[in-house]
Amino acid sequence: MNDTAALLVIVDAANVVGSVPDGWWRDRKAATERLRDRLATQGLPAHEGPLEIVLVVEGAARGVEPVPGVHVERAPGSGDDHMVTLVAEAAGTRPILVVTADRDLRRRVTELGAEVTGPRTVRG
């Protein structure tokens, strides 16, 4: 593994957006865009060093566009399955951090060597 490579941060958009009852359900796309913009401006608080941020979107948020600093991956089906695929593709090549509170997803990605953290890490 290349420990000097940028940390790959894969964010479970639906899980992170849904972690705070702030009315996100009225407009999932707009809530996801707010998360994307926060990630673009704040990155991963408390982490120094290069990052590659991937925001995985599904359902009503599939229309969210990327911005400088945040790549948007539109899951063709299950967002969880797509995140597992992304982790599997990068496993062993660089450090990976998945942001989610989903217990099953956490288990699946840690089995592939990723680290996990909860939504508070990016929600501030």
Side-chain angles (χ1 to χ4, degrees), residues 48-120:
E48 295 183 23
L51 299 172
E52 179 184 350
I53 299 175
V54 177
L55 183 65
V56 177
V57 298
E58 60 187 315
R62 278 199 184 101
V64 172
E65 294 295 325
V67 296
V70 179
H71 175 74
V72 175
E73 278 278 334
R74 292 169 185 88
S78 161
D80 290 2
D81 290 345
H82 193 62
M83 285 180 273
V84 170
T85 298
L86 294 174
V87 169
E89 290 172 351
T93 65
R94 64 197 290 187
I96 305 167
L97 179 67
V98 176
V99 181
T100 187
D102 182 297
R103 288 184 184 151
D104 186 53
L105 177 59
R106 292 170 73 98
R107 179 192 55 77
R108 292 172 69 192
V109 297
T110 55
E111 288 174 354
L112 295 170
E115 297 290 323
V116 294
T117 190
R120 287 185 201 169

Short mmCIF file of all heavy atoms in Angstrom, two decimals, residues 48-120:
data_model
loop_
_atom_site.label_atom_id
_atom_site.label_comp_id
_atom_site.label_asym_id
_atom_site.label_seq_id
_atom_site.Cartn_x
_atom_site.Cartn_y
_atom_site.Cartn_z
N GLU A 48 -5.00 16.31 8.33
CA GLU A 48 -4.03 17.07 7.55
C GLU A 48 -3.48 16.16 6.47
O GLU A 48 -3.33 14.97 6.67
CB GLU A 48 -2.92 17.58 8.45
CG GLU A 48 -3.43 18.58 9.47
CD GLU A 48 -2.33 19.15 10.32
OE1 GLU A 48 -1.16 19.14 9.89
OE2 GLU A 48 -2.64 19.60 11.43
N GLY A 49 -3.20 16.72 5.34
CA GLY A 49 -2.67 15.94 4.24
C GLY A 49 -3.65 15.88 3.10
O GLY A 49 -4.80 16.31 3.21
N PRO A 50 -3.20 15.31 2.00
CA PRO A 50 -4.04 15.28 0.80
C PRO A 50 -5.22 14.31 0.94
O PRO A 50 -5.10 13.27 1.58
CB PRO A 50 -3.07 14.82 -0.30
CG PRO A 50 -1.99 14.09 0.42
CD PRO A 50 -1.88 14.72 1.78
N LEU A 51 -6.33 14.72 0.35
CA LEU A 51 -7.57 13.93 0.37
C LEU A 51 -8.12 13.81 -1.04
O LEU A 51 -7.98 14.73 -1.85
CB LEU A 51 -8.66 14.63 1.18
CG LEU A 51 -8.48 14.92 2.64
CD1 LEU A 51 -9.63 15.79 3.13
CD2 LEU A 51 -8.43 13.64 3.42
N GLU A 52 -8.76 12.71 -1.30
CA GLU A 52 -9.63 12.59 -2.48
C GLU A 52 -11.00 12.24 -1.93
O GLU A 52 -11.17 11.18 -1.32
CB GLU A 52 -9.15 11.50 -3.44
CG GLU A 52 -10.08 11.35 -4.63
CD GLU A 52 -9.69 10.22 -5.57
OE1 GLU A 52 -8.60 9.64 -5.42
OE2 GLU A 52 -10.52 9.91 -6.44
N ILE A 53 -11.95 13.14 -2.09
CA ILE A 53 -13.29 12.94 -1.54
C ILE A 53 -14.24 12.47 -2.63
O ILE A 53 -14.35 13.10 -3.69
CB ILE A 53 -13.83 14.23 -0.89
CG1 ILE A 53 -12.90 14.66 0.25
CG2 ILE A 53 -15.25 14.02 -0.39
CD1 ILE A 53 -13.25 15.99 0.87
N VAL A 54 -14.91 11.34 -2.34
CA VAL A 54 -15.90 10.78 -3.25
C VAL A 54 -17.23 10.73 -2.51
O VAL A 54 -17.34 10.08 -1.47
CB VAL A 54 -15.50 9.37 -3.72
CG1 VAL A 54 -16.58 8.76 -4.60
CG2 VAL A 54 -14.16 9.40 -4.46
N LEU A 55 -18.21 11.42 -3.03
CA LEU A 55 -19.55 11.46 -2.46
C LEU A 55 -20.42 10.51 -3.26
O LEU A 55 -20.63 10.71 -4.46
CB LEU A 55 -20.10 12.89 -2.53
CG LEU A 55 -21.46 13.14 -1.90
CD1 LEU A 55 -21.41 12.93 -0.38
CD2 LEU A 55 -21.92 14.57 -2.22
N VAL A 56 -20.91 9.45 -2.62
CA VAL A 56 -21.73 8.46 -3.31
C VAL A 56 -23.20 8.82 -3.11
O VAL A 56 -23.67 8.92 -1.97
CB VAL A 56 -21.43 7.03 -2.82
CG1 VAL A 56 -22.36 6.02 -3.50
CG2 VAL A 56 -19.97 6.68 -3.09
N VAL A 57 -23.89 9.03 -4.23
CA VAL A 57 -25.29 9.44 -4.19
C VAL A 57 -26.17 8.38 -4.83
O VAL A 57 -25.71 7.60 -5.68
CB VAL A 57 -25.50 10.81 -4.88
CG1 VAL A 57 -24.73 11.90 -4.16
CG2 VAL A 57 -25.10 10.76 -6.34
N GLU A 58 -27.42 8.37 -4.43
CA GLU A 58 -28.40 7.42 -4.96
C GLU A 58 -29.78 8.06 -4.92
O GLU A 58 -29.96 9.11 -4.31
CB GLU A 58 -28.37 6.12 -4.16
CG GLU A 58 -28.70 6.31 -2.69
CD GLU A 58 -28.52 5.04 -1.87
OE1 GLU A 58 -28.94 3.97 -2.33
OE2 GLU A 58 -27.96 5.13 -0.76
N GLY A 59 -30.72 7.44 -5.57
CA GLY A 59 -32.10 7.91 -5.51
C GLY A 59 -32.27 9.34 -5.97
O GLY A 59 -31.71 9.76 -6.99
N ALA A 60 -33.03 10.11 -5.19
CA ALA A 60 -33.36 11.49 -5.55
C ALA A 60 -32.14 12.39 -5.64
O ALA A 60 -32.21 13.46 -6.24
CB ALA A 60 -34.36 12.06 -4.55
N ALA A 61 -31.03 11.99 -5.06
CA ALA A 61 -29.82 12.82 -5.08
C ALA A 61 -28.91 12.52 -6.27
O ALA A 61 -27.84 13.12 -6.39
CB ALA A 61 -29.05 12.64 -3.78
N ARG A 62 -29.31 11.63 -7.16
CA ARG A 62 -28.45 11.26 -8.30
C ARG A 62 -28.12 12.45 -9.20
O ARG A 62 -27.15 12.41 -9.92
CB ARG A 62 -29.08 10.15 -9.12
CG ARG A 62 -28.83 8.79 -8.55
CD ARG A 62 -29.06 7.69 -9.59
NE ARG A 62 -28.89 6.40 -8.95
CZ ARG A 62 -29.88 5.62 -8.56
NH1 ARG A 62 -31.13 5.99 -8.77
NH2 ARG A 62 -29.64 4.49 -7.97
N GLY A 63 -28.92 13.50 -9.15
CA GLY A 63 -28.67 14.67 -10.00
C GLY A 63 -27.61 15.62 -9.46
O GLY A 63 -27.30 16.63 -10.10
N VAL A 64 -27.05 15.34 -8.30
CA VAL A 64 -26.03 16.21 -7.72
C VAL A 64 -24.78 16.15 -8.59
O VAL A 64 -24.31 15.08 -8.94
CB VAL A 64 -25.72 15.79 -6.26
CG1 VAL A 64 -24.53 16.55 -5.71
CG2 VAL A 64 -26.94 16.01 -5.39
N GLU A 65 -24.26 17.32 -8.91
CA GLU A 65 -23.07 17.42 -9.77
C GLU A 65 -21.81 17.55 -8.92
O GLU A 65 -21.86 18.07 -7.80
CB GLU A 65 -23.20 18.64 -10.68
CG GLU A 65 -24.34 18.54 -11.69
CD GLU A 65 -24.14 17.43 -12.70
OE1 GLU A 65 -22.99 17.16 -13.09
OE2 GLU A 65 -25.15 16.81 -13.09
N PRO A 66 -20.67 17.14 -9.47
CA PRO A 66 -19.41 17.32 -8.74
C PRO A 66 -19.00 18.79 -8.73
O PRO A 66 -19.49 19.59 -9.53
CB PRO A 66 -18.41 16.49 -9.55
CG PRO A 66 -19.00 16.42 -10.92
CD PRO A 66 -20.49 16.48 -10.75
N VAL A 67 -18.13 19.12 -7.79
CA VAL A 67 -17.53 20.45 -7.70
C VAL A 67 -16.04 20.22 -7.46
O VAL A 67 -15.63 19.13 -7.07
CB VAL A 67 -18.14 21.32 -6.57
CG1 VAL A 67 -19.61 21.60 -6.83
CG2 VAL A 67 -17.94 20.67 -5.22
N PRO A 68 -15.21 21.24 -7.69
CA PRO A 68 -13.79 21.06 -7.40
C PRO A 68 -13.58 20.58 -5.96
O PRO A 68 -14.13 21.14 -5.02
CB PRO A 68 -13.19 22.45 -7.62
CG PRO A 68 -14.12 23.08 -8.63
CD PRO A 68 -15.49 22.57 -8.26
N GLY A 69 -12.86 19.49 -5.83
CA GLY A 69 -12.57 18.93 -4.51
C GLY A 69 -13.48 17.79 -4.09
O GLY A 69 -13.18 17.08 -3.13
N VAL A 70 -14.59 17.61 -4.80
CA VAL A 70 -15.52 16.52 -4.46
C VAL A 70 -15.98 15.84 -5.74
O VAL A 70 -16.67 16.45 -6.57
CB VAL A 70 -16.75 17.02 -3.66
CG1 VAL A 70 -17.69 15.85 -3.35
CG2 VAL A 70 -16.32 17.71 -2.38
N HIS A 71 -15.59 14.59 -5.89
CA HIS A 71 -16.06 13.76 -7.01
C HIS A 71 -17.39 13.14 -6.59
O HIS A 71 -17.54 12.71 -5.45
CB HIS A 71 -15.03 12.67 -7.30
CG HIS A 71 -15.47 11.71 -8.35
ND1 HIS A 71 -15.49 12.03 -9.67
CD2 HIS A 71 -15.92 10.44 -8.25
CE1 HIS A 71 -15.94 10.99 -10.36
NE2 HIS A 71 -16.20 10.01 -9.52
N VAL A 72 -18.37 13.15 -7.47
CA VAL A 72 -19.68 12.56 -7.17
C VAL A 72 -19.82 11.27 -7.97
O VAL A 72 -19.65 11.26 -9.18
CB VAL A 72 -20.83 13.54 -7.50
CG1 VAL A 72 -22.19 12.86 -7.29
CG2 VAL A 72 -20.72 14.79 -6.65
N GLU A 73 -20.11 10.19 -7.25
CA GLU A 73 -20.36 8.88 -7.87
C GLU A 73 -21.84 8.58 -7.75
O GLU A 73 -22.38 8.53 -6.65
CB GLU A 73 -19.58 7.79 -7.12
CG GLU A 73 -18.15 7.66 -7.50
CD GLU A 73 -17.94 6.84 -8.77
OE1 GLU A 73 -18.77 5.96 -9.11
OE2 GLU A 73 -16.92 7.09 -9.41
N ARG A 74 -22.49 8.40 -8.88
CA ARG A 74 -23.91 8.04 -8.89
C ARG A 74 -24.02 6.53 -8.85
O ARG A 74 -23.62 5.85 -9.80
CB ARG A 74 -24.57 8.61 -10.13
CG ARG A 74 -24.63 10.12 -10.12
CD ARG A 74 -25.04 10.70 -11.48
NE ARG A 74 -24.98 12.13 -11.45
CZ ARG A 74 -23.88 12.84 -11.74
NH1 ARG A 74 -22.76 12.24 -12.05
NH2 ARG A 74 -23.90 14.17 -11.69
N ALA A 75 -24.57 6.01 -7.77
CA ALA A 75 -24.73 4.57 -7.64
C ALA A 75 -25.77 4.09 -8.65
O ALA A 75 -26.87 4.63 -8.69
CB ALA A 75 -25.15 4.21 -6.22
N PRO A 76 -25.43 3.09 -9.45
CA PRO A 76 -26.41 2.59 -10.42
C PRO A 76 -27.56 1.83 -9.76
O PRO A 76 -28.62 1.67 -10.35
CB PRO A 76 -25.58 1.66 -11.31
CG PRO A 76 -24.40 1.28 -10.49
CD PRO A 76 -24.15 2.41 -9.55
N GLY A 77 -27.35 1.37 -8.55
CA GLY A 77 -28.37 0.66 -7.79
C GLY A 77 -28.21 1.03 -6.33
O GLY A 77 -28.32 2.20 -5.97
N SER A 78 -27.85 0.07 -5.53
CA SER A 78 -27.63 0.29 -4.11
C SER A 78 -26.38 1.13 -3.86
O SER A 78 -25.30 0.80 -4.36
CB SER A 78 -27.48 -1.06 -3.40
OG SER A 78 -26.84 -0.92 -2.15
N GLY A 79 -26.53 2.20 -3.10
CA GLY A 79 -25.38 3.02 -2.75
C GLY A 79 -24.37 2.23 -1.94
O GLY A 79 -23.15 2.36 -2.15
N ASP A 80 -24.85 1.38 -1.02
CA ASP A 80 -23.95 0.57 -0.21
C ASP A 80 -23.12 -0.36 -1.09
O ASP A 80 -21.90 -0.47 -0.92
CB ASP A 80 -24.73 -0.25 0.81
CG ASP A 80 -25.33 0.58 1.92
OD1 ASP A 80 -25.19 1.83 1.88
OD2 ASP A 80 -25.94 -0.01 2.82
N ASP A 81 -23.77 -1.03 -2.03
CA ASP A 81 -23.04 -1.94 -2.92
C ASP A 81 -21.99 -1.18 -3.74
O ASP A 81 -20.89 -1.67 -3.96
CB ASP A 81 -23.99 -2.68 -3.86
CG ASP A 81 -24.85 -3.71 -3.13
OD1 ASP A 81 -24.53 -4.06 -1.97
OD2 ASP A 81 -25.85 -4.16 -3.73
N HIS A 82 -22.34 0.01 -4.18
CA HIS A 82 -21.40 0.80 -4.98
C HIS A 82 -20.19 1.22 -4.14
O HIS A 82 -19.06 1.17 -4.61
CB HIS A 82 -22.10 2.02 -5.59
CG HIS A 82 -21.30 2.69 -6.64
ND1 HIS A 82 -20.92 2.06 -7.82
CD2 HIS A 82 -20.75 3.93 -6.70
CE1 HIS A 82 -20.20 2.89 -8.54
NE2 HIS A 82 -20.08 4.03 -7.87
N MET A 83 -20.43 1.59 -2.88
CA MET A 83 -19.31 1.97 -2.01
C MET A 83 -18.40 0.76 -1.76
O MET A 83 -17.17 0.91 -1.76
CB MET A 83 -19.83 2.55 -0.70
CG MET A 83 -20.35 3.97 -0.88
SD MET A 83 -20.97 4.68 0.64
CE MET A 83 -22.65 4.09 0.59
N VAL A 84 -18.97 -0.41 -1.59
CA VAL A 84 -18.16 -1.62 -1.40
C VAL A 84 -17.32 -1.86 -2.64
O VAL A 84 -16.12 -2.19 -2.54
CB VAL A 84 -19.05 -2.83 -1.06
CG1 VAL A 84 -18.25 -4.13 -1.12
CG2 VAL A 84 -19.69 -2.65 0.31
N THR A 85 -17.89 -1.66 -3.81
CA THR A 85 -17.13 -1.82 -5.06
C THR A 85 -15.98 -0.83 -5.12
O THR A 85 -14.85 -1.19 -5.48
CB THR A 85 -18.05 -1.65 -6.28
OG1 THR A 85 -19.05 -2.67 -6.24
CG2 THR A 85 -17.28 -1.72 -7.58
N LEU A 86 -16.23 0.42 -4.77
CA LEU A 86 -15.17 1.44 -4.78
C LEU A 86 -14.05 1.08 -3.82
O LEU A 86 -12.86 1.23 -4.14
CB LEU A 86 -15.74 2.81 -4.44
CG LEU A 86 -16.71 3.43 -5.44
CD1 LEU A 86 -17.30 4.72 -4.89
CD2 LEU A 86 -16.02 3.66 -6.77
N VAL A 87 -14.41 0.60 -2.63
CA VAL A 87 -13.40 0.20 -1.66
C VAL A 87 -12.61 -0.99 -2.20
O VAL A 87 -11.37 -1.00 -2.12
CB VAL A 87 -14.04 -0.14 -0.28
CG1 VAL A 87 -13.03 -0.81 0.64
CG2 VAL A 87 -14.61 1.13 0.35
N ALA A 88 -13.30 -1.98 -2.75
CA ALA A 88 -12.61 -3.16 -3.29
C ALA A 88 -11.62 -2.78 -4.39
O ALA A 88 -10.51 -3.32 -4.46
CB ALA A 88 -13.63 -4.17 -3.81
N GLU A 89 -12.00 -1.83 -5.23
CA GLU A 89 -11.12 -1.40 -6.33
C GLU A 89 -9.87 -0.70 -5.82
O GLU A 89 -8.81 -0.80 -6.43
CB GLU A 89 -11.88 -0.48 -7.29
CG GLU A 89 -12.92 -1.20 -8.10
CD GLU A 89 -13.81 -0.26 -8.91
OE1 GLU A 89 -13.74 0.98 -8.71
OE2 GLU A 89 -14.60 -0.77 -9.73
N ALA A 90 -9.97 0.02 -4.71
CA ALA A 90 -8.83 0.78 -4.19
C ALA A 90 -8.08 0.06 -3.08
O ALA A 90 -7.00 0.49 -2.69
CB ALA A 90 -9.31 2.14 -3.69
N ALA A 91 -8.64 -1.03 -2.57
CA ALA A 91 -8.04 -1.73 -1.43
C ALA A 91 -6.60 -2.14 -1.73
O ALA A 91 -6.28 -2.62 -2.81
CB ALA A 91 -8.87 -2.96 -1.08
N GLY A 92 -5.76 -1.88 -0.74
CA GLY A 92 -4.36 -2.27 -0.85
C GLY A 92 -3.48 -1.28 -1.59
O GLY A 92 -2.27 -1.44 -1.62
N THR A 93 -4.09 -0.26 -2.21
CA THR A 93 -3.30 0.70 -2.98
C THR A 93 -3.10 2.02 -2.25
O THR A 93 -2.18 2.76 -2.58
CB THR A 93 -3.96 1.00 -4.35
OG1 THR A 93 -5.21 1.65 -4.13
CG2 THR A 93 -4.17 -0.28 -5.15
N ARG A 94 -3.97 2.31 -1.31
CA ARG A 94 -3.93 3.59 -0.59
C ARG A 94 -4.82 3.50 0.63
O ARG A 94 -5.68 2.62 0.72
CB ARG A 94 -4.41 4.70 -1.51
CG ARG A 94 -5.87 4.51 -1.92
CD ARG A 94 -6.30 5.31 -3.09
NE ARG A 94 -6.36 6.70 -2.78
CZ ARG A 94 -6.85 7.63 -3.59
NH1 ARG A 94 -7.29 7.28 -4.77
NH2 ARG A 94 -6.88 8.88 -3.25
N PRO A 95 -4.67 4.41 1.58
CA PRO A 95 -5.56 4.41 2.74
C PRO A 95 -6.97 4.84 2.32
O PRO A 95 -7.13 5.72 1.47
CB PRO A 95 -4.93 5.40 3.71
CG PRO A 95 -3.98 6.21 2.90
CD PRO A 95 -3.61 5.42 1.69
N ILE A 96 -7.97 4.19 2.93
CA ILE A 96 -9.38 4.46 2.59
C ILE A 96 -10.15 4.70 3.88
O ILE A 96 -10.03 3.93 4.84
CB ILE A 96 -10.02 3.27 1.85
CG1 ILE A 96 -9.21 2.91 0.60
CG2 ILE A 96 -11.47 3.58 1.50
CD1 ILE A 96 -9.59 1.56 0.01
N LEU A 97 -10.98 5.73 3.88
CA LEU A 97 -11.87 6.03 4.99
C LEU A 97 -13.28 6.14 4.45
O LEU A 97 -13.54 6.91 3.53
CB LEU A 97 -11.47 7.35 5.67
CG LEU A 97 -12.34 7.79 6.84
CD1 LEU A 97 -12.18 6.84 8.02
CD2 LEU A 97 -11.99 9.22 7.24
N VAL A 98 -14.21 5.37 5.01
CA VAL A 98 -15.61 5.42 4.62
C VAL A 98 -16.38 6.12 5.73
O VAL A 98 -16.24 5.78 6.90
CB VAL A 98 -16.18 4.00 4.37
CG1 VAL A 98 -17.67 4.06 4.05
CG2 VAL A 98 -15.41 3.33 3.23
N VAL A 99 -17.19 7.11 5.34
CA VAL A 99 -17.98 7.87 6.30
C VAL A 99 -19.43 7.38 6.22
O VAL A 99 -20.13 7.63 5.24
CB VAL A 99 -17.91 9.38 6.00
CG1 VAL A 99 -18.72 10.16 7.04
CG2 VAL A 99 -16.46 9.87 5.96
N THR A 100 -19.85 6.68 7.28
CA THR A 100 -21.20 6.15 7.36
C THR A 100 -21.49 5.69 8.77
O THR A 100 -20.57 5.40 9.53
CB THR A 100 -21.41 4.96 6.38
OG1 THR A 100 -22.79 4.59 6.38
CG2 THR A 100 -20.56 3.76 6.75
N ALA A 101 -22.75 5.60 9.11
CA ALA A 101 -23.16 5.01 10.38
C ALA A 101 -23.83 3.66 10.16
O ALA A 101 -24.21 2.98 11.11
CB ALA A 101 -24.11 5.95 11.12
N ASP A 102 -23.97 3.26 8.91
CA ASP A 102 -24.64 2.02 8.55
C ASP A 102 -23.79 0.82 9.01
O ASP A 102 -22.69 0.62 8.52
CB ASP A 102 -24.84 1.99 7.04
CG ASP A 102 -25.56 0.76 6.55
OD1 ASP A 102 -25.01 -0.35 6.72
OD2 ASP A 102 -26.66 0.89 5.98
N ARG A 103 -24.29 0.06 9.96
CA ARG A 103 -23.52 -1.04 10.55
C ARG A 103 -23.12 -2.10 9.54
O ARG A 103 -21.98 -2.59 9.56
CB ARG A 103 -24.30 -1.69 11.69
CG ARG A 103 -24.36 -0.82 12.91
CD ARG A 103 -25.06 -1.53 14.04
NE ARG A 103 -25.18 -0.62 15.16
CZ ARG A 103 -26.12 -0.68 16.05
NH1 ARG A 103 -27.07 -1.59 15.96
NH2 ARG A 103 -26.14 0.18 17.05
N ASP A 104 -24.03 -2.50 8.68
CA ASP A 104 -23.70 -3.53 7.71
C ASP A 104 -22.65 -3.02 6.72
O ASP A 104 -21.71 -3.75 6.39
CB ASP A 104 -24.95 -4.00 6.96
CG ASP A 104 -24.64 -5.17 6.05
OD1 ASP A 104 -24.06 -6.18 6.54
OD2 ASP A 104 -24.94 -5.09 4.84
N LEU A 105 -22.79 -1.79 6.26
CA LEU A 105 -21.79 -1.23 5.35
C LEU A 105 -20.44 -1.12 6.04
O LEU A 105 -19.41 -1.44 5.45
CB LEU A 105 -22.24 0.14 4.83
CG LEU A 105 -21.26 0.86 3.91
CD1 LEU A 105 -20.94 0.02 2.67
CD2 LEU A 105 -21.82 2.22 3.52
N ARG A 106 -20.43 -0.70 7.28
CA ARG A 106 -19.17 -0.61 8.04
C ARG A 106 -18.47 -1.97 8.07
O ARG A 106 -17.28 -2.07 7.85
CB ARG A 106 -19.44 -0.10 9.46
CG ARG A 106 -19.88 1.36 9.49
CD ARG A 106 -20.38 1.77 10.86
NE ARG A 106 -19.31 1.93 11.82
CZ ARG A 106 -18.75 3.09 12.14
NH1 ARG A 106 -19.16 4.20 11.58
NH2 ARG A 106 -17.79 3.14 13.04
N ARG A 107 -19.24 -3.01 8.35
CA ARG A 107 -18.68 -4.36 8.38
C ARG A 107 -18.10 -4.75 7.02
O ARG A 107 -16.98 -5.25 6.93
CB ARG A 107 -19.75 -5.37 8.82
CG ARG A 107 -19.23 -6.82 8.86
CD ARG A 107 -20.38 -7.82 9.01
NE ARG A 107 -21.41 -7.72 7.99
CZ ARG A 107 -21.31 -8.17 6.74
NH1 ARG A 107 -20.20 -8.73 6.31
NH2 ARG A 107 -22.32 -8.04 5.88
N ARG A 108 -18.86 -4.51 5.99
CA ARG A 108 -18.44 -4.92 4.64
C ARG A 108 -17.15 -4.23 4.21
O ARG A 108 -16.28 -4.86 3.61
CB ARG A 108 -19.56 -4.63 3.64
CG ARG A 108 -20.77 -5.52 3.84
CD ARG A 108 -21.95 -5.09 2.98
NE ARG A 108 -21.69 -5.33 1.57
CZ ARG A 108 -22.45 -4.84 0.59
NH1 ARG A 108 -23.51 -4.09 0.88
NH2 ARG A 108 -22.16 -5.10 -0.66
N VAL A 109 -17.03 -2.93 4.49
CA VAL A 109 -15.83 -2.21 4.01
C VAL A 109 -14.62 -2.46 4.91
O VAL A 109 -13.49 -2.47 4.41
CB VAL A 109 -16.08 -0.70 3.81
CG1 VAL A 109 -17.13 -0.48 2.73
CG2 VAL A 109 -16.44 0.01 5.09
N THR A 110 -14.84 -2.69 6.20
CA THR A 110 -13.69 -3.00 7.06
C THR A 110 -13.11 -4.36 6.70
O THR A 110 -11.90 -4.57 6.81
CB THR A 110 -14.02 -2.94 8.56
OG1 THR A 110 -15.12 -3.79 8.85
CG2 THR A 110 -14.33 -1.52 9.00
N GLU A 111 -13.96 -5.27 6.26
CA GLU A 111 -13.46 -6.58 5.80
C GLU A 111 -12.53 -6.43 4.61
O GLU A 111 -11.67 -7.28 4.37
CB GLU A 111 -14.62 -7.51 5.45
CG GLU A 111 -15.39 -8.01 6.65
CD GLU A 111 -16.63 -8.81 6.30
OE1 GLU A 111 -16.99 -8.90 5.10
OE2 GLU A 111 -17.25 -9.34 7.23
N LEU A 112 -12.67 -5.34 3.87
CA LEU A 112 -11.82 -5.07 2.70
C LEU A 112 -10.61 -4.20 3.05
O LEU A 112 -9.82 -3.86 2.17
CB LEU A 112 -12.65 -4.40 1.60
CG LEU A 112 -13.76 -5.26 1.00
CD1 LEU A 112 -14.66 -4.42 0.10
CD2 LEU A 112 -13.16 -6.43 0.23
N GLY A 113 -10.51 -3.81 4.32
CA GLY A 113 -9.35 -3.04 4.75
C GLY A 113 -9.56 -1.56 4.94
O GLY A 113 -8.62 -0.84 5.28
N ALA A 114 -10.77 -1.07 4.74
CA ALA A 114 -11.04 0.36 4.92
C ALA A 114 -11.23 0.67 6.40
O ALA A 114 -11.64 -0.18 7.19
CB ALA A 114 -12.29 0.78 4.15
N GLU A 115 -10.95 1.91 6.76
CA GLU A 115 -11.29 2.43 8.08
C GLU A 115 -12.68 3.04 7.94
O GLU A 115 -13.12 3.37 6.83
CB GLU A 115 -10.29 3.50 8.50
CG GLU A 115 -8.87 3.00 8.67
CD GLU A 115 -8.70 2.09 9.86
OE1 GLU A 115 -9.35 2.34 10.90
OE2 GLU A 115 -7.95 1.11 9.76
N VAL A 116 -13.37 3.21 9.06
CA VAL A 116 -14.69 3.84 9.02
C VAL A 116 -14.79 4.90 10.11
O VAL A 116 -14.12 4.83 11.13
CB VAL A 116 -15.84 2.82 9.17
CG1 VAL A 116 -15.91 1.88 8.00
CG2 VAL A 116 -15.71 2.04 10.47
N THR A 117 -15.65 5.86 9.85
CA THR A 117 -15.96 6.88 10.83
C THR A 117 -17.42 7.29 10.63
O THR A 117 -18.00 7.03 9.57
CB THR A 117 -15.01 8.10 10.69
OG1 THR A 117 -15.18 8.96 11.81
CG2 THR A 117 -15.25 8.87 9.40
N GLY A 118 -17.99 7.94 11.62
CA GLY A 118 -19.40 8.31 11.56
C GLY A 118 -19.64 9.66 10.92
O GLY A 118 -18.69 10.42 10.64
N PRO A 119 -20.89 9.99 10.69
CA PRO A 119 -21.28 11.23 10.04
C PRO A 119 -20.77 12.51 10.73
O PRO A 119 -20.52 13.50 10.07
CB PRO A 119 -22.80 11.20 10.05
CG PRO A 119 -23.14 9.74 10.05
CD PRO A 119 -22.07 9.11 10.90
N ARG A 120 -20.61 12.47 12.04
CA ARG A 120 -20.14 13.67 12.74
C ARG A 120 -18.78 14.16 12.23
O ARG A 120 -18.47 15.35 12.33
CB ARG A 120 -20.02 13.41 14.23
CG ARG A 120 -21.33 13.32 14.92
CD ARG A 120 -21.15 13.17 16.40
NE ARG A 120 -22.35 12.60 16.98
CZ ARG A 120 -22.44 12.17 18.20
NH1 ARG A 120 -21.39 12.23 18.99
NH2 ARG A 120 -23.55 11.66 18.64
#
